């Protein structure tokens, strides 16, 4: 197989009723072929949309990376009755190529077009995914040009919404699939998946709400089909967004998170109303990611994630977006991985509050990363879009809360094939960091609390640049420079051996020495990605 170009299996999201399942069954790509010509530049819905042509992920994977679908003469090659056409010389080419796009059409049998119109269970969909991966493996291995044995077969799973839960049920629950097939999954990418369930009006959807399978997003029900009910991973925290050890590594998992609820029009806008601020219109931001857990049930490793000002679906949806596509292809095919953390060393209060006790404030951490020369962001976290990372004043000053001062922000993948300027060989992106607090409050027992206006404690953009070596095997050159500083804040030589076999940590310091102020470091954990 031509690593890292393995078969991609798409798993679509939730269809509420028979009509939606019919619509899904009538589409050859179950919606993944939809494009977009508009995007929102700001959270203000009254601002006219800007024009930006995105041709759909399926089309772009074909034009950019040589992928093709598995339909031939109106037939699905995955059908057991399909036979390869006979060429003029009488020969047949069995199987399929490694660069194939496969759509898991699990709603066909639940439609009124091809089935009985009744939806099935998540468990059954997970077993069907296992069978589908086995069929794809057999077809890829059947083609001599691929030169791959079944034990060496690899594939990618890309899922939207509930499709991500189908994927996790297959990967995590040993009763829902074949173990060798689980091991063949190389990476998982999810768009807007409710990994920790769906909350409406602040409450998790109840288990008894079985109409239209809405209880698929109840955490107790999820713990059952994810295979974690009764395990420390679930019983300790009641969270279902954790990947237990020995199931699937969080380092191979990517979560694309939408932050625009305003453009989600499902149920005449009731969904976005009930899900509230800090959501994509259906899934709350805090529920859309996963973490790797240890045997005790502690969250210890975040899956890679990125944020986009996109809604759960629709014209401004996260699947048919440039942001989603660029993160997908860099995650699947990229060369360098950069996990971005923020370590806060200390904060300084306004002068009137220095030395005072019982101070309350909420620090909002905004973060944006954009490739050089592009108009879109690989990740975008802003307070106005309800997506900043937040910490309280107590968390940043109490010695007992020291672990809360290291904050995971996002992961960026860089790709040599995505360079804009071919005359400039470096991989580069702009990293914007803003830290602000709306106000400070001094709590008084017998007198009215005192309030002090807040502001930005830090605002700057750093250019991160990695220059690949001119001679294979030599070191990469890394620099990070804040625009407000005349010289580079960090430099490092990243050897090929370090990048391939481990992780290199680079610290980019930042400081605002004024009052109020902040001091800390952006911690970039750089590692090689994919073979070679």
């Amino acid at each position: 197989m031509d690593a890292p170009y393995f078969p991609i299996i798409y798993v679509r999201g939730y269809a509420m009723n028979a009509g939606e399942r019919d619509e899904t069954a009538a589409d050859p790509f179950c919606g993944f072929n939809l494009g977009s010509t508009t995007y929102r530049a700001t959270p203000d819905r009254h601002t006219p949309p800007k024009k930006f042509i995105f041709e759909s992920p399926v089309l772009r994977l074909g034009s950019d990376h040589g992928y093709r679908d598995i339909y031939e003469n109106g037939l699905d090659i995955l059908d057991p009755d399909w036979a390869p056409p006979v060429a003029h010389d009488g020969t047949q080419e069995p199987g399929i190529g490694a660069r194939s796009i496969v759509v898991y059409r699990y709603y066909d049998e639940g439609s009124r077009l091809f089935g009985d119109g009744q939806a099935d269970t998540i468990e059954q969909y997970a077993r069907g995914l296992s069978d589908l991966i086995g069929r794809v493996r057999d077809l890829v291995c059947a083609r001599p040009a691929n030169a791959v044995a079944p034990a060496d077969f690899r594939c990618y799973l890309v899922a939207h919404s509930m499709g991500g839960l189908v994927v996790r049920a297959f990967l995590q629950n040993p009763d829902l699939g074949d173990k060798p097939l689980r091991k063949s999954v190389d990476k998982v990418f999810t768009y807007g998946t409710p990994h920790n369930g769906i909350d409406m009006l602040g409450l998790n959807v109840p288990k008894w709400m079985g109409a239209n399978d809405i209880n698929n997003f109840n955490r107790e029900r999820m713990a059952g089909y994810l295979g974690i009910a009764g395990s420390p991973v679930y019983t300790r925290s009641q969270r279902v967004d954790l990947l237990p050890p020995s199931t699937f590594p969080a380092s191979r998992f990517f979560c694309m998170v939408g932050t625009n609820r305003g453009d989600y029009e499902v149920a005449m806008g009731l969904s976005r109303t009930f899900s509230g601020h800090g959501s994509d219109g259906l899934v709350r931001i805090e529920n859309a990611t996963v973490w790797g857990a240890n045997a005790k049930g502690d969250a210890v490793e975040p899956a890679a994630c990125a944020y986009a000002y996109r809604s759960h679906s629709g014209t401004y949806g996260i699947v048919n977006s440039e942001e989603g596509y660029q993160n997908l292809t860099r995650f699947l095919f990229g060369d360098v991985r950069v996990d971005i953390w923020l370590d806060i060393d200390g904060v300084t209060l306004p002068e009137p509050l220095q030395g005072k006790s019982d101070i309350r404030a909420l620090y909002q951490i905004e973060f944006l990363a954009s490739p050089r020369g592009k108009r879109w962001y690989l990740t975008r976290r802003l307070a106005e879009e309800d997506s900043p990372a937040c910490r309280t004043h107590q968390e940043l000053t109490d010695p007992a809360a020291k672990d809360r001062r290291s904050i995971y922000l996002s992961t960026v993948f860089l790709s040599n094939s995505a360079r804009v300027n071919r005359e400039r060989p470096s991989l580069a992106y702009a990293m914007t960091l803003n830290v602000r607090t709306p106000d400070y409050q001094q709590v008084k027992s017998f007198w009215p609390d005192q309030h002090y206006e807040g502001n930005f404690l830090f605002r700057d953009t750093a250019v991160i640049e990695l220059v690949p070596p001119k001679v294979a095997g030599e070191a990469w050159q890394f620099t990070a420079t804040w625009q407000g500083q005349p010289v580079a804040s960090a430099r490092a030589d990243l050897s090929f051996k370090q990048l391939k076999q481990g992780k290199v940590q680079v610290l980019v310091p930042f400081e605002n020495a004024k009052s109020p102020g902040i001091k800390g470091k952006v911690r970039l954990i750089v590692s090689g990605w994919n073979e070679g």
Side-chain angles (χ1 to χ4, degrees), residues 272-331:
R272 66 174 179 241
T273 300
F274 292 151
S275 60
H277 289 282
S279 74
D280 62 6
L282 179 64
V283 181
R284 295 194 59 78
I285 294 172
E286 63 196 27
N287 290 335
T289 57
V290 295
W291 283 67
N294 58 22
K296 296 180 180 179
D298 300 318
V300 293
E301 180 186 12
C305 72
Y307 299 76
Y309 187 64
R310 291 283 181 166
S311 62
H312 188 75
S313 63
T315 303
Y316 303 100
I318 195 168
V319 175
N320 57 334
S321 69
E322 188 74 19
E323 299 94 330
Y325 173 78
Q326 292 295 337
N327 277 287
L328 170 67
T329 54
R330 283 166 164 78
F331 173 65

Side-chain angles (χ1 to χ4, degrees), residues 20-38:
E20 292 183 3
R21 292 192 289 275
D22 290 347
E23 184 179 351
T24 298
D27 191 312
F29 296 97
C30 296
F32 289 107
N33 53 314
L34 299 179
S36 176
T37 62
T38 60

Side-chain angles (χ1 to χ4, degrees), residues 236-271:
R236 184 169 181 176
S237 64
Q238 301 298 296
R239 291 172 55 179
V240 291
D241 58 346
L242 301 177
L243 294 172
S246 74
T247 54
F248 192 81
S251 61
R252 312 293 290 181
F253 212 109
F254 193 108
C255 302
M256 196 73 205
V257 183
T259 64
N260 174 13
R261 76 183 185 109
D263 284 319
Y264 192 58
E265 302 292 347
V266 169
M268 296 181 292
L270 289 177
S271 175

